[in-house]
Amino acid sequence: MTHEVARRLAISVQPVPKQDAEARKKNFDETYIGFDLNAARIEASRCIQCPSAPCQEACPVSNDIPGAFALLELGDIAGAANKFRETSNLPEMCGRLCPQEKLCEGACVVGFAIRKDGRKEPPVTIGKLEAFCTDYQRQSSGATRCLATFRSPPEETWRLSARGRRGWR
């Protein structure tokens, strides 16, 4: 186990490619282009699979981050995306909008681990990997709508109008 952790800690962070500044001036696309499959698998392999999973504890929706990264590392991207979908209805948005640097990434042990060679490495880029998995799943399935499953609404629902609430239907 110790050798496995040391091996994972020796892997350098994978840079997330982003658009050139001049190109960004001319479009409304995301700044970050995102990982390719190989870089995402390498980045996921930086996760040392902590038994206590402080990243999961720091996550407001308690995503099974180590579980998702173990699947991604094996190449099961749909499985990793579904792992994120178990606790979040919109992981595509969480991977982009959630302040990971203060939450899950802020608690990631990889970011403050002591390495034999003394170098510092940032934490695993959890948000970018979450967005990668769910985007990849959506693109590969050809889906244009949300893939999450929702409970059906209760029979009694509120009817809203421009004038306000009218009561039960």
Side-chain angles (χ1 to χ4, degrees):
M1 181 69 165
T2 307
H3 296 297
E4 180 63 15
V5 171
R7 182 190 69 77
R8 289 174 180 270
L9 288 174
I11 301 169
S12 293
V13 66
Q14 299 299 296
V16 183
K18 59 183 181 178
Q19 287 190 64
D20 178 60
E22 290 302 315
R24 283 197 312 253
K25 289 180 186 178
K26 299 174 182 143
N27 66 52
F28 290 99
D29 295 339
E30 289 186 63
T31 301
Y32 288 96
I33 297 167
F35 288 116
D36 62 23
L37 177 57
N38 188 48
R41 289 180 71 183
I42 293 170
E43 184 65 17
S45 70
R46 293 182 62 229
C47 175
I48 60 174
Q49 301 291 321
C50 305
S52 61
C55 56
Q56 185 173 352
E57 288 183 25
C59 178
V61 294
S62 299
N63 275 339
D64 182 3
I65 296 164
F69 289 173
L71 292 168
L72 176 56
E73 187 178 354
L74 295 172
D76 184 3
I77 303 162
N82 288 334
K83 185 61 76 176
F84 284 120
R85 291 184 196 288
E86 287 176 6
T87 52
S88 175
N89 289 331
L90 294 170
E92 296 92 339
M93 302 288 42
C94 291
R96 290 174 171 84
L97 302 175
C98 185
Q100 300 96 4
E101 63 282 350
K102 293 180 182 175
L103 298 171
C104 56
E105 290 178 15
C108 179
V109 175
V110 173
F112 51 86
I114 299 171
R115 291 167 175 79
K116 289 181 182 180
D117 59 6
R119 71 186 159 87
K120 302 277 286 169
E121 285 282 342
V124 177
T125 53
I126 297 169
K128 298 288 188 276
L129 287 173
E130 181 178 10
F132 167 80
C133 291
T134 52
D135 288 349
Y136 191 96
Q137 181 188 44
R138 185 176 291 212
Q139 290 165 358
S140 64
S141 70
T144 56
R145 60 178 180 75
C146 182
L147 296 173
T149 56
F150 298 98
R151 294 179 299 212
S152 59
E155 285 189 33
E156 294 178 333
T157 58
W158 284 95
R159 195 176 347 162
L160 298 175
S161 72
R163 301 174 76 180
R165 289 181 278 167
R166 290 195 171 171
W168 295 103
R169 249 197 230 193

mmCIF file of all heavy atoms in Angstrom, residues 20-42:
data_model
loop_
_atom_site.group_PDB
_atom_site.id
_atom_site.type_symbol
_atom_site.label_atom_id
_atom_site.label_comp_id
_atom_site.label_asym_id
_atom_site.label_seq_id
_atom_site.Cartn_x
_atom_site.Cartn_y
_atom_site.Cartn_z
ATOM 1 N N ASP A 20 -6.980 30.117 -26.019
ATOM 2 C CA ASP A 20 -6.099 31.265 -26.121
ATOM 3 C C ASP A 20 -6.922 32.528 -25.834
ATOM 4 O O ASP A 20 -8.104 32.608 -26.169
ATOM 5 C CB ASP A 20 -5.518 31.320 -27.540
ATOM 6 C CG ASP A 20 -4.617 32.516 -27.742
ATOM 7 O OD1 ASP A 20 -3.613 32.628 -27.010
ATOM 8 O OD2 ASP A 20 -4.948 33.337 -28.615
ATOM 9 N N ALA A 21 -6.293 33.512 -25.209
ATOM 10 C CA ALA A 21 -6.994 34.742 -24.837
ATOM 11 C C ALA A 21 -7.618 35.435 -26.044
ATOM 12 O O ALA A 21 -8.730 35.962 -25.964
ATOM 13 C CB ALA A 21 -6.053 35.684 -24.106
ATOM 14 N N GLU A 22 -6.921 35.447 -27.167
ATOM 15 C CA GLU A 22 -7.458 36.095 -28.366
ATOM 16 C C GLU A 22 -8.703 35.374 -28.867
ATOM 17 O O GLU A 22 -9.658 36.011 -29.316
ATOM 18 C CB GLU A 22 -6.393 36.169 -29.468
ATOM 19 C CG GLU A 22 -5.279 37.145 -29.171
ATOM 20 C CD GLU A 22 -5.787 38.581 -28.947
ATOM 21 O OE1 GLU A 22 -6.637 39.054 -29.738
ATOM 22 O OE2 GLU A 22 -5.341 39.201 -27.983
ATOM 23 N N ALA A 23 -8.705 34.064 -28.802
ATOM 24 C CA ALA A 23 -9.876 33.296 -29.228
ATOM 25 C C ALA A 23 -11.050 33.531 -28.282
ATOM 26 O O ALA A 23 -12.206 33.608 -28.720
ATOM 27 C CB ALA A 23 -9.538 31.813 -29.285
ATOM 28 N N ARG A 24 -10.767 33.664 -26.990
ATOM 29 C CA ARG A 24 -11.828 33.888 -26.004
ATOM 30 C C ARG A 24 -12.540 35.216 -26.220
ATOM 31 O O ARG A 24 -13.722 35.347 -25.903
ATOM 32 C CB ARG A 24 -11.253 33.868 -24.581
ATOM 33 C CG ARG A 24 -10.958 32.492 -24.083
ATOM 34 C CD ARG A 24 -10.787 32.473 -22.584
ATOM 35 N NE ARG A 24 -9.915 33.487 -22.046
ATOM 36 C CZ ARG A 24 -8.700 33.268 -21.563
ATOM 37 N NH1 ARG A 24 -8.200 32.062 -21.554
ATOM 38 N NH2 ARG A 24 -7.989 34.250 -21.071
ATOM 39 N N LYS A 25 -11.832 36.187 -26.763
ATOM 40 C CA LYS A 25 -12.443 37.492 -27.004
ATOM 41 C C LYS A 25 -13.560 37.414 -28.042
ATOM 42 O O LYS A 25 -14.426 38.271 -28.092
ATOM 43 C CB LYS A 25 -11.397 38.499 -27.498
ATOM 44 C CG LYS A 25 -10.415 38.924 -26.460
ATOM 45 C CD LYS A 25 -9.443 39.908 -27.086
ATOM 46 C CE LYS A 25 -8.325 40.290 -26.159
ATOM 47 N NZ LYS A 25 -7.378 41.202 -26.817
ATOM 48 N N LYS A 26 -13.524 36.375 -28.869
ATOM 49 C CA LYS A 26 -14.436 36.280 -30.003
ATOM 50 C C LYS A 26 -15.544 35.242 -29.829
ATOM 51 O O LYS A 26 -16.265 34.959 -30.773
ATOM 52 C CB LYS A 26 -13.628 35.957 -31.264
ATOM 53 C CG LYS A 26 -12.616 37.035 -31.582
ATOM 54 C CD LYS A 26 -11.737 36.645 -32.732
ATOM 55 C CE LYS A 26 -10.721 37.753 -32.947
ATOM 56 N NZ LYS A 26 -9.440 37.298 -33.318
ATOM 57 N N ASN A 27 -15.636 34.642 -28.641
ATOM 58 C CA ASN A 27 -16.681 33.641 -28.446
ATOM 59 C C ASN A 27 -17.141 33.631 -26.991
ATOM 60 O O ASN A 27 -16.566 34.304 -26.146
ATOM 61 C CB ASN A 27 -16.205 32.248 -28.888
ATOM 62 C CG ASN A 27 -15.089 31.706 -28.030
ATOM 63 O OD1 ASN A 27 -15.184 31.667 -26.810
ATOM 64 N ND2 ASN A 27 -14.017 31.263 -28.671
ATOM 65 N N PHE A 28 -18.158 32.859 -26.742
ATOM 66 C CA PHE A 28 -18.693 32.709 -25.389
ATOM 67 C C PHE A 28 -18.482 31.287 -24.871
ATOM 68 O O PHE A 28 -19.163 30.863 -23.948
ATOM 69 C CB PHE A 28 -20.183 33.075 -25.362
ATOM 70 C CG PHE A 28 -20.432 34.537 -25.563
ATOM 71 C CD1 PHE A 28 -20.785 35.020 -26.805
ATOM 72 C CD2 PHE A 28 -20.300 35.420 -24.507
ATOM 73 C CE1 PHE A 28 -21.016 36.369 -26.998
ATOM 74 C CE2 PHE A 28 -20.524 36.773 -24.692
ATOM 75 C CZ PHE A 28 -20.882 37.251 -25.935
ATOM 76 N N ASP A 29 -17.578 30.560 -25.480
ATOM 77 C CA ASP A 29 -17.291 29.196 -25.047
ATOM 78 C C ASP A 29 -16.577 29.222 -23.703
ATOM 79 O O ASP A 29 -16.051 30.250 -23.274
ATOM 80 C CB ASP A 29 -16.424 28.469 -26.078
ATOM 81 C CG ASP A 29 -17.141 28.262 -27.390
ATOM 82 O OD1 ASP A 29 -18.385 28.303 -27.402
ATOM 83 O OD2 ASP A 29 -16.454 28.069 -28.412
ATOM 84 N N GLU A 30 -16.519 28.066 -23.071
ATOM 85 C CA GLU A 30 -15.817 27.981 -21.791
ATOM 86 C C GLU A 30 -14.337 28.288 -21.972
ATOM 87 O O GLU A 30 -13.754 27.953 -23.005
ATOM 88 C CB GLU A 30 -15.954 26.577 -21.203
ATOM 89 C CG GLU A 30 -17.339 26.272 -20.720
ATOM 90 C CD GLU A 30 -17.388 24.940 -20.023
ATOM 91 O OE1 GLU A 30 -16.715 24.787 -18.984
ATOM 92 O OE2 GLU A 30 -18.089 24.060 -20.529
ATOM 93 N N THR A 31 -13.752 28.870 -20.950
ATOM 94 C CA THR A 31 -12.319 29.161 -20.982
ATOM 95 C C THR A 31 -11.527 27.868 -21.044
ATOM 96 O O THR A 31 -10.637 27.710 -21.875
ATOM 97 C CB THR A 31 -11.906 29.971 -19.742
ATOM 98 O OG1 THR A 31 -12.644 31.183 -19.727
ATOM 99 C CG2 THR A 31 -10.430 30.266 -19.745
ATOM 100 N N TYR A 32 -11.858 26.934 -20.152
ATOM 101 C CA TYR A 32 -11.150 25.656 -20.115
ATOM 102 C C TYR A 32 -11.754 24.706 -21.136
ATOM 103 O O TYR A 32 -12.966 24.493 -21.165
ATOM 104 C CB TYR A 32 -11.211 25.037 -18.722
ATOM 105 C CG TYR A 32 -10.339 25.775 -17.742
ATOM 106 C CD1 TYR A 32 -10.858 26.760 -16.917
ATOM 107 C CD2 TYR A 32 -8.979 25.509 -17.668
ATOM 108 C CE1 TYR A 32 -10.054 27.450 -16.033
ATOM 109 C CE2 TYR A 32 -8.164 26.194 -16.792
ATOM 110 C CZ TYR A 32 -8.708 27.166 -15.975
ATOM 111 O OH TYR A 32 -7.912 27.846 -15.105
ATOM 112 N N ILE A 33 -10.900 24.130 -21.959
ATOM 113 C CA ILE A 33 -11.331 23.182 -22.976
ATOM 114 C C ILE A 33 -11.624 21.833 -22.325
ATOM 115 O O ILE A 33 -12.505 21.112 -22.731
ATOM 116 C CB ILE A 33 -10.254 23.042 -24.085
ATOM 117 C CG1 ILE A 33 -10.081 24.391 -24.777
ATOM 118 C CG2 ILE A 33 -10.610 21.953 -25.079
ATOM 119 C CD1 ILE A 33 -8.867 24.486 -25.655
ATOM 120 N N GLY A 34 -10.879 21.496 -21.301
ATOM 121 C CA GLY A 34 -11.084 20.249 -20.580
ATOM 122 C C GLY A 34 -10.050 19.208 -20.956
ATOM 123 O O GLY A 34 -9.248 19.380 -21.872
ATOM 124 N N PHE A 35 -10.079 18.116 -20.225
ATOM 125 C CA PHE A 35 -9.133 17.024 -20.431
ATOM 126 C C PHE A 35 -9.477 16.207 -21.669
ATOM 127 O O PHE A 35 -10.639 16.142 -22.066
ATOM 128 C CB PHE A 35 -9.175 16.056 -19.240
ATOM 129 C CG PHE A 35 -8.572 16.584 -17.981
ATOM 130 C CD1 PHE A 35 -9.344 16.788 -16.858
ATOM 131 C CD2 PHE A 35 -7.215 16.860 -17.898
ATOM 132 C CE1 PHE A 35 -8.785 17.248 -15.687
ATOM 133 C CE2 PHE A 35 -6.648 17.327 -16.734
ATOM 134 C CZ PHE A 35 -7.441 17.520 -15.622
ATOM 135 N N ASP A 36 -8.465 15.536 -22.209
ATOM 136 C CA ASP A 36 -8.741 14.446 -23.140
ATOM 137 C C ASP A 36 -8.774 13.178 -22.283
ATOM 138 O O ASP A 36 -8.463 13.208 -21.091
ATOM 139 C CB ASP A 36 -7.708 14.375 -24.267
ATOM 140 C CG ASP A 36 -6.287 14.113 -23.793
ATOM 141 O OD1 ASP A 36 -6.094 13.559 -22.686
ATOM 142 O OD2 ASP A 36 -5.348 14.450 -24.529
ATOM 143 N N LEU A 37 -9.162 12.068 -22.863
ATOM 144 C CA LEU A 37 -9.345 10.836 -22.093
ATOM 145 C C LEU A 37 -8.076 10.405 -21.380
ATOM 146 O O LEU A 37 -8.102 10.063 -20.191
ATOM 147 C CB LEU A 37 -9.857 9.717 -23.001
ATOM 148 C CG LEU A 37 -10.025 8.347 -22.356
ATOM 149 C CD1 LEU A 37 -10.948 8.419 -21.154
ATOM 150 C CD2 LEU A 37 -10.542 7.348 -23.373
ATOM 151 N N ASN A 38 -6.944 10.423 -22.070
ATOM 152 C CA ASN A 38 -5.696 9.975 -21.469
ATOM 153 C C ASN A 38 -5.293 10.859 -20.284
ATOM 154 O O ASN A 38 -4.936 10.360 -19.219
ATOM 155 C CB ASN A 38 -4.578 9.939 -22.514
ATOM 156 C CG ASN A 38 -3.328 9.294 -21.996
ATOM 157 O OD1 ASN A 38 -3.374 8.213 -21.407
ATOM 158 N ND2 ASN A 38 -2.194 9.952 -22.182
ATOM 159 N N ALA A 39 -5.360 12.177 -20.457
ATOM 160 C CA ALA A 39 -4.997 13.093 -19.373
ATOM 161 C C ALA A 39 -5.947 12.939 -18.190
ATOM 162 O O ALA A 39 -5.520 13.012 -17.028
ATOM 163 C CB ALA A 39 -4.986 14.529 -19.874
ATOM 164 N N ALA A 40 -7.234 12.707 -18.457
ATOM 165 C CA ALA A 40 -8.208 12.522 -17.373
ATOM 166 C C ALA A 40 -7.892 11.257 -16.579
ATOM 167 O O ALA A 40 -7.964 11.264 -15.343
ATOM 168 C CB ALA A 40 -9.619 12.458 -17.939
ATOM 169 N N ARG A 41 -7.540 10.195 -17.255
ATOM 170 C CA ARG A 41 -7.204 8.958 -16.547
ATOM 171 C C ARG A 41 -5.938 9.125 -15.714
ATOM 172 O O ARG A 41 -5.859 8.626 -14.587
ATOM 173 C CB ARG A 41 -7.047 7.807 -17.550
ATOM 174 C CG ARG A 41 -8.382 7.388 -18.145
ATOM 175 C CD ARG A 41 -8.245 6.270 -19.130
ATOM 176 N NE ARG A 41 -7.902 5.035 -18.417
ATOM 177 C CZ ARG A 41 -7.652 3.888 -19.029
ATOM 178 N NH1 ARG A 41 -7.697 3.820 -20.346
ATOM 179 N NH2 ARG A 41 -7.365 2.822 -18.330
ATOM 180 N N ILE A 42 -4.966 9.838 -16.252
ATOM 181 C CA ILE A 42 -3.729 10.078 -15.488
ATOM 182 C C ILE A 42 -4.038 10.940 -14.268
ATOM 183 O O ILE A 42 -3.574 10.657 -13.157
ATOM 184 C CB ILE A 42 -2.645 10.728 -16.382
ATOM 185 C CG1 ILE A 42 -2.191 9.739 -17.447
ATOM 186 C CG2 ILE A 42 -1.466 11.218 -15.542
ATOM 187 C CD1 ILE A 42 -1.314 10.348 -18.526
#
